[in-house]
Amino acid sequence: MSQPPRSNRGHRERNGEQGERETESTETTGTPTMTGASSSRPPYYPRETDPPPNHVREREAPREEHHESKCSLICSRRGIMLICAVLTNSLVLICLIAAHMVSSGMSSAGGLGGFDINSNFNLQGTELQKARELDMQYSQMRAPGLYGGIPFCLTLGVLSLLFVVAGNKPPHHMSRKLLYGSLVFQAVGAVAYVVAVGLYLHFIIGVNATDVCQQRARIYGGRGYTWMNCDVGGADAAVALFGLITSILYGVGTVLTFQTIRGVRRYLEERKRREAEKQQARANAQRVPLRADTTSV
């Protein structure tokens, strides 16, 4: 009855001595010893195929380029400014044609499928003939503004659309000439629209100050149509308004394009610096084995 406790006590004493030996070995060598069941396990050696830790992977992983769709690239801030400029160019063109048709008089519009002066105005005889002649003269006097404004709006609108379509690539993949061309175009467009609006209003005010416009206004005003006067009409004001909006859009687009060019320049400089660092690291890695061989010899 007394023997089993002694055997257990002996096992405990032996385990205690073995634990003391393990602690002494760890204190002297700094590495724990594998005993008992753990000694049967093979030692663990890290394999080369084991994945590195997360912080190492994040540091060594190269930056992956995010492939965006063409729609998202076109609808960037620069692209939105150019798209809005295309729309406002169209509105300027529409208002320009409408202003010419409205101010040309009903007798001139009758030949284009508009209203007939005989059915809309109580004009007869010499008064009717005089109104038609004045309408024709007034339309011819306003024609330079129309024929100059249409090519101007079409040219800027088409060029804006071309730059929108050409912007379907990331900025750092686009040609530098294309970016600089877009910058110059928008800067010139912003200034050109301000000058064009000023010249257009000056031209319309000059035409409305002539005797032809004054005589027309008296003839139509005598029949109760006072809106046919010599003031700047609503359509002309709309031309000036949308022209100034287009100028603002081109100005904002110029600033955004300038910022894009600066960003592309910094990106290219950073990429060149990283490539130089990689090449230098490779060169240093190739020199290390050569130095080891020379020292061994």
Side-chain angles (χ1 to χ4, degrees):
M1 298 294 292
S2 60
Q3 289 179 357
R6 290 178 182 175
S7 61
N8 292 335
R9 190 184 307 166
H11 283 296
R12 284 196 222 103
E13 291 176 355
R14 277 180 294 207
N15 290 335
E17 292 175 359
Q18 189 175 3
E20 291 177 358
R21 292 174 185 175
E22 290 178 359
T23 53
E24 289 176 359
S25 63
T26 38
E27 289 178 358
T28 56
T29 61
T31 55
T33 58
M34 306 295 292
T35 59
S38 61
S39 61
S40 62
R41 296 179 183 177
Y44 174 76
Y45 296 98
R47 296 177 298 174
E48 295 181 355
T49 57
D50 290 341
N54 292 330
H55 64 278
V56 177
R57 274 184 287 176
E58 292 176 357
R59 199 186 314 162
E60 296 179 353
R63 291 187 177 180
E64 297 181 357
E65 297 182 357
H66 298 282
H67 299 282
E68 300 179 357
S69 62
K70 292 184 178 181
C71 181
S72 62
L73 293 172
I74 290 175
C75 295
S76 61
R77 294 184 299 174
R78 295 181 300 106
I80 290 173
M81 292 297 109
L82 287 172
I83 291 171
C84 293
V86 172
L87 296 177
T88 51
N89 270 295
S90 303
L91 292 174
V92 170
L93 183 62
I94 293 171
C95 293
L96 190 65
I97 297 173
H100 183 78
M101 294 181 64
V102 169
S103 62
S104 61
M106 295 300 178
S107 60
S108 299
L112 298 176
F115 298 97
D116 188 5
I117 192 169
N118 296 322
S119 60
N120 292 279
F121 292 94
N122 190 11
L123 296 175
Q124 296 179 357
T126 57
E127 193 176 18
L128 173 61
Q129 187 65 28
K130 183 67 174 179
R132 287 179 175 177
E133 291 177 1
L134 292 173
D135 287 340
M136 190 64 64
Q137 292 177 11
Y138 185 75
S139 298
Q140 291 176 357
M141 293 173 66
R142 286 180 59 99
L146 177 67
Y147 297 145
I150 289 176
F152 179 79
C153 296
L154 287 177
T155 302
L156 292 181
V158 171
L159 289 176
S160 300
L161 187 61
L162 290 177
F163 279 112
V164 169
V165 175
N168 59 354
K169 298 179 181 178
H172 57 278
H173 288 165
M174 293 175 61
S175 173
R176 300 287 291 274
K177 294 181 180 179
L178 184 62
L179 288 174
Y180 283 110
S182 177
L183 177 67
V184 173
F185 166 72
Q186 293 182 88
V188 172
V191 177
Y193 249 107
V194 173
V195 175
V197 168
L199 291 175
Y200 179 77
L201 291 177
H202 177 73
F203 174 75
I204 295 301
I205 292 172
V207 172
N208 290 343
T210 58
D211 294 335
V212 174
C213 184
Q214 299 296 332
Q215 293 178 15
R216 286 177 74 249
R218 285 194 293 269
I219 292 175
Y220 286 110
R223 301 302 176 183
Y225 291 90
T226 57
W227 57 270
M228 191 73 73
N229 51 30
C230 294
D231 297 332
V232 177
D236 294 324
V239 171
L241 177 62
F242 288 121
L244 293 177
I245 293 174
T246 308
S247 176
I248 294 172
L249 291 173
Y250 280 137
V252 175
T254 302
V255 176
L256 295 177
T257 305
F258 179 73
Q259 293 178 354
T260 302
I261 291 174
R262 290 181 59 185
V264 170
R265 187 180 301 171
R266 286 196 296 266
Y267 172 79
L268 294 176
E269 290 176 356
E270 183 69 16
R271 188 172 67 177
K272 288 181 181 179
R273 185 181 64 81
R274 289 180 180 176
E275 290 178 355
E277 290 179 355
K278 288 181 180 179
Q279 291 178 358
Q280 187 176 2
R282 291 174 183 174
N284 294 334
Q286 291 176 358
R287 291 175 185 174
V288 170
L290 294 176
R291 291 178 181 176
D293 294 341
T294 54
T295 52
S296 63
V297 172

